[in-house]
């Protein structure tokens, strides 16, 4: 019989893992990297059927027949950032440009990731700003860099820092600032179940870290204040 919904994560509430079963499956770990995508999907599909049975479902009923394969393909897509690097997505779209020394900001970029603690989504917006130091990057590449790291199992704090570090390395600007605002489904659908809660994280590098006025200008821009009033 299925137990009631877990309300916390104490030692008493977390299901016990069969250590022997875990050890018996370890021999498969070294083979994973050598599998083709089709083989990975097949392996994940079988695992999903087991999960469905464990929660009390019948993987052979009509509505679930194709669900395990769909889930496997979806999870591989949602974590395809593991197979990508910053260089892959910038695609040489970094250009020499000495004429622009002011802030470049792209705000309200949609971002979606999976919480590494519960493997449920967190979703929201990322705002990115940098001040060029002789180089600029294609604007769409900022969004693509963010996606490389979002398409992995993540915590929002690390994701924010990884995006900032990647842009800093790719463009070598005077400074970088990244802010992420997200709703976490691990707080909405389970646990404390607080629908209206948003998590905001920031990561700053270079002049954004050392100069409070530069940092304040960035935060004013991403929060939608009139840019003319900022300049005045």
């Amino acid at each position: 019989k299925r137990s009631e919904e877990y309300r916390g994560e104490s030692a008493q509430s977390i299901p016990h893992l069969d250590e022997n079963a875990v050890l018996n499956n370890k021999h498969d770990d070294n083979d994973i990297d050598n599998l083709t995508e089709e083989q990975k999907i097949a392996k994940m599909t079988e695992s999903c059927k087991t999960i469905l049975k464990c929660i009390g479902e019948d993987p052979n009923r009509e509505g679930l027949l194709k669900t395990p394969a769909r889930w496997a393909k979806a999870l591989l897509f949602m974590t395809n950032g593991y197979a990508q690097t910053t260089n892959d997505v910038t695609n040489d779209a970094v250009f020499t440009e000495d004429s622009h020394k002011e802030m470049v900001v792209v705000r309200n970029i949609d971002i979606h990731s999976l919480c590494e603690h519960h493997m449920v989504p967190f979703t929201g917006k990322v705002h990115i700003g940098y001040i060029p130091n002789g180089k600029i990057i294609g604007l769409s590449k900022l969004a693509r860099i963010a996606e490389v790291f979002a398409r992995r199992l993540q915590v929002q704090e690390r994701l924010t820092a990884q995006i900032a570090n990647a842009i800093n390395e790719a463009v070598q600007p005077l400074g970088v600032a990244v802010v992420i605002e997200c709703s976490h489904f691990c707080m909405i659908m389970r646990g404390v179940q607080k629908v209206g809660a948003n998590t905001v994280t920031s990561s700053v590098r270079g002049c954004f870290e050392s100069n409070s006025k530069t940092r304040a200008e960035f935060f004013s821009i991403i929060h939608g204040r009139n840019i003319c009033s900022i300049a005045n």
Side-chain angles (χ1 to χ4, degrees), residues 7-160:
R7 298 285 181 184
E9 292 185 332
S10 64
Q12 290 78 19
S13 67
I14 298 176
H16 175 68
L17 292 177
D18 185 336
E19 293 183 4
N20 290 328
V22 173
L23 289 172
N24 289 337
N25 282 320
K26 277 192 172 181
H27 70 277
D28 291 335
D29 293 347
N30 295 329
D31 300 330
I32 296 295
D33 290 339
N34 298 322
L35 296 179
T36 65
E37 182 167 333
E38 290 74 17
Q39 289 172 324
K40 288 180 181 178
I41 290 172
K43 198 175 186 71
M44 293 168 69
T45 296
E46 290 305 309
S47 297
C48 186
K49 290 178 182 178
T50 301
I51 292 170
L52 288 172
K53 291 176 183 177
C54 287
I55 65 172
E57 265 293 356
D58 176 10
N60 293 315
R61 73 175 176 85
E62 183 180 8
L64 293 176
L65 283 175
K66 295 183 179 180
T67 296
R70 291 192 191 106
W71 171 83
K73 292 175 184 178
L75 186 58
L76 286 176
F77 172 77
M78 290 186 286
T79 57
N80 64 16
Y82 289 117
Q84 295 179 311
T85 67
T86 301
N87 288 336
D88 292 336
V89 298
T90 53
N91 197 27
D92 297 324
V94 178
F95 310 101
T96 300
E97 181 55 69
D98 293 322
S99 63
H100 191 83
K101 299 287 185 180
E102 303 301 322
M103 196 179 301
V104 178
V105 177
V106 179
R107 65 184 187 183
N108 295 324
I109 302 168
D110 290 332
I111 197 164
H112 313 285
S113 191
L114 291 175
C115 163
E116 68 179 32
H117 300 139
H118 301 97
M119 288 183 67
V120 293
F122 63 93
T123 184
K125 304 286 185 182
V126 58
H127 316 287
I128 299 172
Y130 76 98
I131 297 180
N133 187 26
K135 295 180 181 178
I136 60 173
I137 188 170
L139 297 178
S140 69
K141 305 307 179 185
L142 296 175
R144 292 191 182 279
I145 288 173
E147 193 166 77
V148 165
F149 297 100
R151 297 291 187 187
R152 303 177 184 187
L153 300 184
Q154 279 287 8
V155 294
Q156 186 174 323
E157 298 88 340
R158 182 174 66 234
L159 174 59
T160 312

